[in-house]
Amino acid sequence: SLAQLWMSWGIKPAALIGHSIGEFVAATIAGVFSLEDALTAIANRSKLMQALPSGGMLSVRLSASEVEKYLTPEVSIAAINGPQLCVVAGPYEALELLQQQWEQKEIMCKLLHTSHAFHSPMMEPIVEPFETIIKSLKLNKPSIPILSTVTTNWMKDEEACDPHYWAHHLRATVKFADGVKALWNDKPNYVLIELG
């Protein structure tokens, strides 16, 4: 809605980037999904996620390379939001242990208010069912370039039209900081507008 409002004022995006579910929004603005298909995808994605065991997410003021030193098989980096800002996700007990370790070292961290461990191994069981849903939708080549936060490159037409890309997206780390950096390096004269 906000993107459509800006476009009605004559502000047309030259490129798009989205954080997590925001990449579906970017893809809808770029015409990869129709609005109806995007809503179908998001509603089903949410339904599948809600059926999974609950989990948590913990924001931490560390670089991805530093965070990796603390990870266990059940906890992963869900999002890289800045050079010194990551989110890890996994079972609550594992996150509590990490939080205690970081707080003992006076590393700032905060448990986020979420119901599940998004973009973590806990999402694995729904990747395949979600891909089946995406296969039932019509996917189109983007009419506006999209910077993928999965690959941190410009989304290729074949990726945009690949149900596996969108299914794997819910499990993949959101590399937002690297995506913004790639966008900025490629198009340094862009003016960025955040909508959300």
Side-chain angles (χ1 to χ4, degrees):
S1 298
L2 289 171
Q4 293 296 340
L5 178 62
W6 279 88
M7 290 191 284
S8 75
W9 292 337
I11 309 297
K12 309 284 186 200
L16 300 160
I17 186 171
H19 189 288
S20 188
I21 201 87
E23 192 161 309
F24 282 81
V25 176
T28 304
I29 299 301
V32 174
F33 296 97
S34 67
L35 178 58
E36 295 76 14
D37 282 351
L39 293 172
T40 297
I42 298 310
N44 281 285
R45 182 179 186 262
S46 299
K47 185 177 177 182
L48 289 166
M49 286 178 169
Q50 290 304 313
L52 290 170
S54 62
M57 302 182 82
L58 181 67
S59 176
V60 60
R61 294 269 176 188
L62 284 176
S63 68
S65 61
E66 283 296 312
V67 170
E68 285 172 0
K69 297 173 186 175
Y70 294 90
L71 296 180
T72 62
E74 56 190 348
V75 177
S76 66
I77 299 177
I80 304 168
N81 293 327
Q84 295 288 320
L85 182 59
C86 291
V87 176
V88 295
Y92 289 117
E93 305 76 30
L95 294 181
E96 284 172 12
L97 290 173
L98 275 178
Q99 186 172 13
Q100 288 169 10
Q101 287 178 47
W102 286 330
E103 286 176 347
Q104 285 172 1
K105 295 181 178 186
E106 298 185 355
I107 297 168
M108 287 182 60
C109 58
K110 181 181 178 184
L111 201 60
L112 303 179
H113 297 289
T114 64
S115 59
H116 290 77
F118 305 117
H119 299 283
S120 82
M122 293 183 79
M123 296 290 110
E124 208 62 59
I126 64 170
V127 171
E128 195 173 318
F130 188 55
E131 186 170 341
T132 302
I133 290 162
I134 298 294
K135 284 179 180 175
S136 71
L137 308 176
K138 183 175 181 347
L139 300 173
N140 306 293
K141 296 175 182 177
S143 60
I144 302 169
I146 302 170
L147 202 302
S148 165
T149 58
V150 173
T151 66
T152 67
N153 291 309
W154 293 105
M155 187 181 291
K156 298 173 183 158
D157 290 349
E158 54 268 27
E159 289 170 330
C161 297
D162 182 3
H164 181 73
Y165 174 88
W166 296 105
H168 174 68
H169 185 278
L170 63 80
R171 165 63 184 92
T173 299
V174 180
K175 300 173 188 165
F176 192 71
D178 289 339
V180 171
K181 185 177 177 181
L183 177 64
W184 205 250
N185 286 340
D186 197 47
K187 309 288 184 185
N189 297 322
Y190 275 10
V191 173
L192 304 183
I193 299 176
E194 181 185 0
L195 302 178

